[in-house]
Amino acid sequence: MFPYDSATCVRVCDMTARCCCFCICVFAVLLNKACLQVTLEGKVRGSVVLPCFYTVNSLKIEDVTIYWRHNSSHNVYDIIEGKASVEKQGAAYKNRAETFPNEYMKGNFSLKLSNLQYNDAGKYVCYITKAHQNPSTQLLVKDRGNHGAATRAEKTVPFFILLYILQYN
């Protein structure tokens, strides 16, 4: 009737399960990598929030250090041992960059950049020293025209937040 004995079936099912598990893990890693790269669009003289989320879990907030960098080298903002620090902040970001200290305990280390200028365009990286992830955001800065139309940022950020929520549930 059935050409395989039960031991053979168990081995085949076990191999299939491992393969399926491996594929799911690879997909999860690729999805996580994709979620760590966001593109936002801002308007000149407007503001934008660059996302950075990290679930602290067993760490104390005092153990978390985050460095926000623009195009790899420009110091935008630091969060040292759970506290905001602008001591080494680049002059171009003075009084324009801020975070949300009340959100740190929730794992939200996002950066708000105000009074956008064309030279603010580029890649922003949120370096999380205790994690093996460094979320990045590609920022595009455009003219203030195009009134009433939804920007890419308005479409992308809710999607990013949804994926973040799904990742930790």
Side-chain angles (χ1 to χ4, degrees), residues 148-162:
T151 65
R152 175 181 256 158
E154 291 168 337
K155 295 175 186 173
T156 306
V157 171
F159 177 72
F160 176 77
I161 292 171
L162 175 63

Side-chain angles (χ1 to χ4, degrees), residues 82 130 145:
K130 298 284 183 177

Side-chain angles (χ1 to χ4, degrees), residues 99-147:
T99 57
F100 310 94
N102 294 339
E103 294 290 314
Y104 293 171
M105 286 304 293
K106 298 174 190 172
N108 182 357
F109 299 96
S110 299
L111 175 82
K112 180 178 179 184
L113 191 57
S114 301
N115 192 22
L116 290 175
Q117 301 162 20
Y118 288 114
N119 57 354
D120 288 327
K123 183 177 181 178
Y124 289 81
V125 179
C126 174
Y127 292 100
I128 306 169
T129 60
K130 298 284 183 177
H132 298 291
Q133 57 182 331
N134 297 310
S136 65
T137 303
Q138 186 69 32
L139 177 62
L140 307 173
V141 179
K142 302 215 173 176
D143 283 330
R144 293 196 61 83
N146 196 16
H147 299 295

Side-chain angles (χ1 to χ4, degrees), residues 5-114:
D5 65 354
S6 61
T8 303
C9 281
V10 169
R11 282 194 302 272
V12 169
C13 288
D14 188 42
M15 286 177 47
T16 304
R18 285 184 191 162
C19 181
C20 184
C21 183
F22 174 76
C23 289
I24 290 170
C25 289
V26 168
F27 178 73
V29 167
L30 292 174
L31 181 61
N32 188 37
K33 187 71 171 169
C35 292
L36 296 177
Q37 300 170 358
V38 176
T39 299
L40 297 178
E41 187 176 287
K43 304 287 184 192
V44 172
R45 293 184 305 277
S47 62
V48 68
V49 176
L50 308 173
C52 178
F53 297 96
Y54 172 59
T55 304
V56 179
N57 290 337
S58 63
L59 291 176
K60 297 176 186 163
I61 195 69
E62 298 83 28
D63 295 335
V64 177
T65 295
I66 304 224
Y67 301 107
W68 272 101
R69 297 295 181 263
H70 178 215
N71 292 335
S72 299
S73 61
H74 303 283
N75 185 334
V76 181
Y77 204 92
D78 293 335
I79 301 169
I80 311 272
E81 297 176 349
K83 294 185 178 164
S85 173
V86 293
E87 289 177 26
K88 297 179 182 178
Q89 184 180 52
Y93 310 101
K94 294 275 186 209
N95 301 314
R96 297 193 314 121
E98 64 180 301
T99 57
F100 310 94
N102 294 339
E103 294 290 314
Y104 293 171
M105 286 304 293
K106 298 174 190 172
N108 182 357
F109 299 96
S110 299
L111 175 82
K112 180 178 179 184
L113 191 57
S114 301

